[in-house]
Structures are given as C-alpha cells and as structure tokens.
Amino acid sequence: MSGVDTVRGIAYQQAQAVLEAIGLLEDPTLGSVRVEGTDDAVDIELLARGGTLSHAIQVKVRAPDYTWGESALLAVLKRWAVLPDAAHASFEFLTDGRLGPSGRRVQQALEAAAEGRTGPLAELLGAGVDDPVCIALGKARIRQDPHSTSALLARAEHQVTAMLPSARTEADLRKQATEAVDRLFRALFDFASNPEPQLREMDRQRIAALLGVPAEQSPAQRWSAVRERYLEAARSFIEQEVIAPAVAGIQMRDPSVLWQHASGGQRLRVGELLSVLAGRTGTGKTTAVRILRQQAAADGRVVITAHAESYLPGRLGALTADGLAAVLQEACPTATGAQALSDSNVTLVIDGAAEVAEPTRRALQEELLAPVSAGHGARIVLVGRDMAALRAMLPGSVSPEMFRMVPLEYKRRVELVEWATVTDGRSCTPHMARAVVATLDKTLGDAAGNPLVFSMAMALLDDQDVPKGRASLYRAFIEQLAARSGATGMSAVRTALGIVYALLLNDGRRYADVYEWHHLLSQAASALRSVGLPADVSTLDEAARRCGLITSLGWEQTVVPMHDSFADYLAGAAHASGAAPLPHGLSASDDQRMLFCAEIRGVDEAIAALVTRDLPFTAVALAGYDRRPLGLEAPHQVASVLCHLSAAQDQAVVMSRLKDGRALALRPTGTESAWVDEARAFELAQTCHAAVVDKEAGPLAVAARLWRQELLTLLRQPAALFPRRPDPGQTAAEALVRQTEQTALVVNQLIDLAAPPGHAAALKAQVGPLGLRAVIGRPQQDMLGMRTPVDYRHSDDIVIVEASAEPSFSPEKSQGQTALEHLLDSPPSATAAQRVREAIEALTTSSWLTP
C-alpha cells in the first residue's frame, strides 16, 4: 500500500469509528467502543454495557483499480472466526472498495448463511456446516461503503446535530456539530495509538462529554413522543403537483388513481400500501408516494418517505430519521428513526432504490434481509425504475405486492391542456385542447403519456417553435429555465454537467457528495478548457444551481439533478457530442441516456452493439433512430445484433432490395448472411420469418422487426373453443389451482423462449408473480347469467379457498375482483401468452406486439 493509500485508510477507518461511537449513544444496549482491537483482526469493537463484545468491524480501503477476491476475504474472515469472541459476537468486513466475482461469491455465501442456509459458506471454507468456523461466520457480513471520509464525517455532524441542545441559529448549530465531531475524531485517534487495550476503550459517558450531548436519549426524542407530531405535519404537507399520477397493480386492468385533489379520483387505501413500485423516469413515482404519505397521515397511519441517495450502508435508521426530519423540519436522531423502523404500524418508502450504485444497493438489500424476512417492524416499500432490480433487493422468501405507474390517458391530457390555458387567463374549448394534444402527441410519441415530459411540453406551448422530440424538448426547457433565472453560459454548463453525469451514471448513480461533485466538475471544466472553452468550476456550479438544474439534498448537501431524467438527457447529449465517451457496459437504468444520445446523433454500430447486448428491450425504441443505409454488410450487421435479441440459435439473415426501394429481411436456416435477388427472397419467405422494412430503416430497425416476427409467432394465442368448467368431482378451488399451476408452467416456458439471452430475470420480474391468493364467493345471478365472484391478488404461492371454508386470505388485501368463469374460460396457454406479451410491451414500447 502506498503512503497516500495508508493515510486514506487511516482517515477512512477513523471516520467509520466516529460514526460507530455516535451510534453507540443511540443504542441503549451498548456501553463502549474500542479502537484497534484484537490481533489485527479487528479495528473497531462495540461492547455491551456488561463489557462483552457485541460487534466487531475490520475496516479496509482498496485502490479503485483493485478488487477484493475470495482468498483475501476468507483470510480476514478466518482470522476473526478463530477468536474466542467469534462464538457470540457478530463481525463485519467494511471496505470502500469493489468486490471481484470471487469476492461476490463470498458475500453471497455470508448472506445465505444469515438466512440459515450454510451450505454455500461451508463449501467455500472446505468445512462442514457444523464446523466452529462456519458457525461463527454465520454472524459475519461484508459491507461496502464507497463514501469518502468527508462525506462520512458530514453524516456524523448531522447525527450529532439532532442530539445537541438548541442553538440560536442553524449556522451556530452546524458549527457546534463540526467542533464536536472534530473533538471526537482527535480523541479516537489518540486512543487508537495507546498500546494498552483497556486504554483504547471509550465509554458512552466519555463520548457524550466529548460531543457535548446527553449520554442517553431524551424522552422527547423517542418515537412514541414524536409520532403524533409527525402525523400532524404529514397531514399538512400537501403535494401541489398539477399532474396527479396513477398507480396500478402489475396485473390490474383498472388503476387505482392517486389525486392531489380532495375530491375527484379514487384514493388508494392505506391497507393497499405498496411493496414495490416501478415506473420509467418522469412517470410520477415520487409524487405518488408523497401523496400517499399525506393520505395515510389523514387516516392516522405513518408513511415515511426517504431518498435512497442519502443512504449510507449499514445505517437504515439514519435514513429513516432523514425521512422524519424532512416532514418535521427539524433534526431527528438516528435512534428515533431506528425506533420508527421497529414499529409495525409504520411504512418506510425508499424512493430511488434502483438508481443507487450497485454496492449501495447490495448493502441496502442486506440490511433489509432480517426485518423483511421476519415480517417484524415497519413495512418496506421500494420505489424505482427497474422492477427486476427492486425485486432482487427483497428476500426470495417474501412475496411483495408489485405496482407500476400508469401513463397519462388521452382524456387526462386534454383536461390538463384546458386547465393550463384557462390558468393563463385564456379561453380554451375542448376542440382547441384536443388540437394542442394532437400536436404534442405527434411530437412526443409514447412520451406523451409521461407526466413530466407532458408538463414540460405544456410549459413551452407559448414558444414559437414547438420542440421536435424529447431531446429538443429538454434543451428548450433548460433554456427557458436559464432565461427566467438569468443564468448565463448555459452551453458550457450543459456540456460540463453532461460529462459529470456520464461519469456518475457509469457508476450507477446520478448523485454525489459535495466533495466528489466539485472534483468531477473540476474534471469537466478541465476538459472544456482543453478544447479552448473557458470554464470555471464555481461559475459552472453557480449557474447550474441558479436555474435549478442541480440542487442539494439533506444535511450532507448531496448534489442531485432537479429530476433524474435531466441527468440522463445531459449525459446522453455529452455522448452524442463526443464530450464523454460511451460507457463500456450499461445497467438497467441507462436506457434513457442511450435513447437521448441516439435521438441527437443517430444510431451507429457501437451504440447498437452496446444496447442490444446490455439492454435488449431498449433496442426496440432505439431502432426508431437508426437511419443508417443498408449497405453490403447489412445482413451481417443485422445478424450480429439479432443474436443479442433472439434466443434462437440460427441467426443468419438474408436480405433483398425490393423494386419499390424497401427491403425484405428473412431468417432462413442453414444459410449464410447475404444479399439475394428478389426471386430467391420470395422463395425463402415461404419457409421462415420475414419482414419488410421501410427505405430509411437501418440494420438495428431490421433486427427489431425480425425479432418481433419471432415473438408474434411464439406468443400467438390459441382461441378458446368452449367454456371450461370444473371437472366432475372437482371443486371450484381445485379447478382454479390447476388453472394457475398450468398457466405458471407455460409462462416460464415462454419466458425461456422469448427472453433475450441473459435477460430472462428482467422479463420474469415484469410478468410478476405467477401464483394466486383468492377467495371464491358463492355463485350469483346477474343479467349475464350465473357468475361466481373471485377476490384475488397475484402472489408467489397459491392459496385458494371458497367462501364457505375458513379464510386464509383476506379479501381486503385483494388487488381486484373477477369471475371464476372468466378465469377458467381462458386456456392456460392463452393467459400465459397474454401476460408475457404485455410484459414485453411494458419493457419495449406500447402495442409493439399488437398484430
């Protein structure tokens, strides 16, 4: 380790020790902290009030170019496991570095052991599951915390603020907190250098004295005392959004609409609080959960919303406290957040959970493991863009309710245009509003149903030139922000922010602490100066803040975009201009920056290969921007990207230019990719999938059409020849169980055939749970005949009972109601094909697979 790395390691370790010491004051079971612990196996020890070791931490930094592998991690873990305290204490390996593939296997084995599955860990150790080392490591974990020392100390200051006595001003309070943390930091450094173990131990009274705070939590700060104040504040914390979002269960036909108005619209019942809510950027996820928080408070239920960007690994209580503080408008101790987390009447909504960096997401997943699996404490709601990523963060043993955001319907868009026009003091007839919506729909395409994009377009209605496409819309909107705020030099600001966000997105996030932000902005400014453009970090930052493109979140001043889609646009524009290189790989939340990039500069071979490999469902939308001419190599280019889209083995593509200038593309077996004459093409078309594409269609557009033809054939729904009813001697419940089982079997078979190679998990997550929990009611006569009502919700398991039986499923928690006859009349193969088709369209573009 170099000298610089040594200093960085010491500072990082001390910052973590400071956080642990402050956290000790908020845990009534702990009595002291010891730094530089036993035999170089432990750096920080947390001791119970009786003096026994409760939790041990080994802290290590890692240079960015290196990762942690299996051998290095097992060496640390084994060194701990043979110590006497390992029999009763838990252990944590804490690092700011990345895990390599073998390191991830160790982390996964420890996570499995924490759930009681010790087999993978025993295999890695080469020992039996009853071996003392294996048993001891069942209480061990690996935590990745990539935050800088400065960011960790800023979090420490934030936590201390909530403990300090009131100050005259917020500036005084911040100063007191900074001075208190500095005192603790220096004291811990002195303690760590003492050769006597007992003199390296600091008790809670000493910690409290150094910080100038009480050694025990004040009764007024306990959750029981804060709860009513929080509810009152949340009831009055009304969302002022003009466009109300809509939320629906993954398989629900009729969405439950969340309105910000007191009247009109249907309230989502608090009993139906979400477990997973996914939706593309700008669809109103954050607005939905804010409205939900206010509605829940009106019913006396606590919903706490928190930003995943503020999460520090291992500190879910602090994140919850941040959510409380945002509503109470006052600092809230971590202990209060932890107490709220243990309250089963609380729901914690973590917004942006799928948009944080992978190590942070893994840490959050691990911290949620125990409470979610046990079913105790607060209900957890994860909100983000990617359904698969959100579902993966929850234990496999639980069956979450999954919800999605619903696009703005045409009728609602017309109403919004009418409302906006009248608000500006002008008259607007329904005919005029429909004409405006028609123009916007033509410009925006599928994005017209996106609340954010539609609201931006309405804000620009008075401009002389209506933007053509999303990228132009974002650019025009930013120019409008700059004009209204008086910000200047926006061309340089856009480019600099694009470079910064491209770097952040490569790391799987759109946010940075204030120190990293200025470092990245400095890099971007240097890049601008290198091509002769004057750029100053403070000037760029000031202009971006002045027009609202960036803002700060929380005490730590985490820098975030005004909306995450602006980070996507700016990064995509930087890629398109060449200011930032394309990334080497893409994650699920990178779809929009690639679409923005393609819209601005078009699709080339590099973008096509990158997106089809890593984000194959996004390739369908990307294909609309591919206008490359079909040259001699076109069949090979189509085949090269088609192999990432289609699970079929033979990907040879034959093409022919038709007399009208269009092209005919085919996928015959047993041939080589090539151009052929029209007669040969028509002959081959009788034996394989074929598609005719427009003159302007490029290679990716051709590949997408061929893939569509394959999926249409695969998902062709057989017609039901006659109504199906329970077999003789079979109850209605048994018939529905059998129907559900057969449908699930066919769905899994179709996913294996339809999903692009390596992307079945994303499609499966979008399809949703394949089981069913239902209560079958008594038959009823209506105008259509005899019908049997069924209250149901989709689940990972199958629990179906009849109304006369002892209910094991509560209808109050149902996602919907239907008729048994409707469920049984549709053959399992048809139901399965419909579910997979709808999931693919949700991941690609609407109505893409409509014949």
Side-chain angles (χ1 to χ4, degrees), residues 11 14-15 17-19 21-22 149-150 152-158 160-161 164 173-191 202 206-207 209-212 515:
Q14 286 298 111
V18 166
L19 279 169
I22 295 170
T149 297
S150 298
L152 296 175
L153 292 177
R155 164 55 70 173
E157 292 169 9
H158 181 27
V160 171
T161 302
L164 285 167
L173 192 60
R174 285 178 176 265
K175 181 181 178 182
Q176 290 177 23
T178 301
E179 292 172 348
V181 170
D182 286 347
R183 287 194 300 271
L184 180 59
F185 187 95
R186 290 194 300 270
L188 284 171
F189 199 87
D190 290 340
F191 271 56
M202 185 182 293
R206 181 67 181 272
I207 296 169
L210 285 165
L211 294 174
Y515 307 99

Side-chain angles (χ1 to χ4, degrees), residues 336-410:
T336 308
Q339 292 159 14
L341 272 176
S342 65
D343 187 344
S344 59
N345 294 314
V346 168
T347 296
L348 174 64
V349 181
I350 305 176
D351 195 6
E355 284 76 70
V356 292
E358 194 273 339
T360 303
R361 202 162 61 241
R362 293 289 307 176
L364 181 56
Q365 175 188 355
E366 184 179 352
E367 196 164 3
L368 293 175
L369 179 64
V372 173
S373 297
H376 300 312
R379 185 170 185 181
I380 304 297
V381 178
L382 299 179
V383 179
R385 293 187 183 187
D386 182 38
M387 180 67 74
L390 294 173
R391 182 63 185 90
M393 292 174 68
L394 296 174
S397 57
V398 301
S399 177
E401 296 177 70
M402 297 195 293
F403 289 74
R404 61 182 172 84
M405 299 305 300
V406 178
L408 284 175
E409 296 180 345
Y410 173 78

Side-chain angles (χ1 to χ4, degrees), residues 101-136:
S102 63
R104 280 286 300 118
R105 286 195 296 272
V106 177
Q107 187 179 46
Q108 290 167 346
L110 293 176
E111 291 169 356
E115 293 186 85
R117 296 179 288 109
T118 55
L121 179 59
E123 184 178 346
L124 279 177
L125 295 171
V129 294
D130 297 327
D131 188 283
V133 171
C134 188
I135 294 173

Side-chain angles (χ1 to χ4, degrees), residues 449-468:
N450 184 299
L452 175 68
V453 173
F454 193 79
S455 65
M456 290 167 55
M458 286 198 302
L460 295 168
L461 282 177
D462 291 336
D463 289 2
Q464 292 182 350
D465 298 321
V466 177
K468 304 297 183 183

Side-chain angles (χ1 to χ4, degrees), residues 485-494 496-497 517-518 521-522 524-525 528-529 533-550:
S485 64
T488 58
M490 292 307 296
S491 177
V493 170
R494 286 197 310 269
L497 292 184
W517 176 262
H518 282 285
L521 198 57
S522 177
L528 292 177
R529 288 194 296 268
L533 296 176
D536 173 74
V537 173
S538 60
T539 302
L540 293 171
D541 186 76
E542 180 184 355
R545 291 180 186 275
R546 184 169 185 173
C547 68
L549 269 180
I550 62 173

Side-chain angles (χ1 to χ4, degrees), residues 434-455:
R434 287 193 294 270
V436 171
V437 170
T439 301
L440 295 179
D441 285 357
K442 182 178 180 180
T443 298
L444 302 176
D446 278 350
N450 184 299
L452 175 68
V453 173
F454 193 79
S455 65

Side-chain angles (χ1 to χ4, degrees), residues 259-270:
W259 297 92
Q260 85 283 11
H261 308 296
S263 62
Q266 177 186 358
R267 289 163 59 91
L268 188 66
R269 296 197 306 272
V270 176

